[in-house]
Structures are given as structure tokens and as C-alpha cells.
Amino acid sequence: MRLAEALRPVAARHGVGVAEVAIAWVLAWPGVTGAIVGARRPEQVDGWIGAAAVDLTPADLAEIAAAITASGAGAGPARPRA
């Protein structure tokens, strides 16, 4: 939950939801051409359908990496290589 809260400012700057930022982060990794995302109800798709159009800046990626590190989420790298 700490990571989701930390992503809110990035989401607000882009006018999207936290889920869209998370998926856009996945899509920012070199070699990643798609993200598999599931929904239990059709209306949940509305919360992330625009993720491919979110263009995260280097500053956004740095902020997300810092949030990942601070929250302890995950075990791998926190930032895609440029």
C-alpha cells in the first residue's frame, strides 16, 4: 500500500490512475512489448486501459524507483535502463 500511495503524485501529474502508472512502468522496460493485466469485472478495465499512452519521464521513473526502494517492494531492479 505504501508503494501505491507513493505513485499517486505521478498519477496526478499525468491525469491517470495509480494502476495506469504501474502498468506504464512495466511497459517502460526495454524489451517489454506488453503487460498481462487481469480484471474480475469489466468496469475494472477502465482503471488501466490508458496505461500504454502514459509517457513516464526520466524524473517519473526516478521517483518510482525511489518509492520502490523506500517501500521494500520487490527484489529486482527498480528502474528500467535508458
Side-chain angles (χ1 to χ4, degrees):
M1 296 309 295
R2 286 178 49 201
L3 179 56
E5 286 301 317
L7 296 181
R8 288 192 190 285
V10 177
R13 282 196 301 275
H14 288 276
V16 299
V18 170
E20 287 168 300
V21 169
I23 296 165
W25 176 83
V26 170
L27 295 172
W29 287 81
V32 174
T33 59
I36 299 172
V37 183
R40 292 186 182 172
R41 297 181 314 276
E43 60 271 11
Q44 289 177 317
V45 174
D46 294 336
W48 50 260
I49 195 68
V54 177
D55 188 21
L56 297 174
T57 67
D60 292 330
L61 293 172
E63 185 174 342
I64 294 167
I68 291 169
T69 301
S71 70
R79 184 174 182 171
R81 291 186 199 102

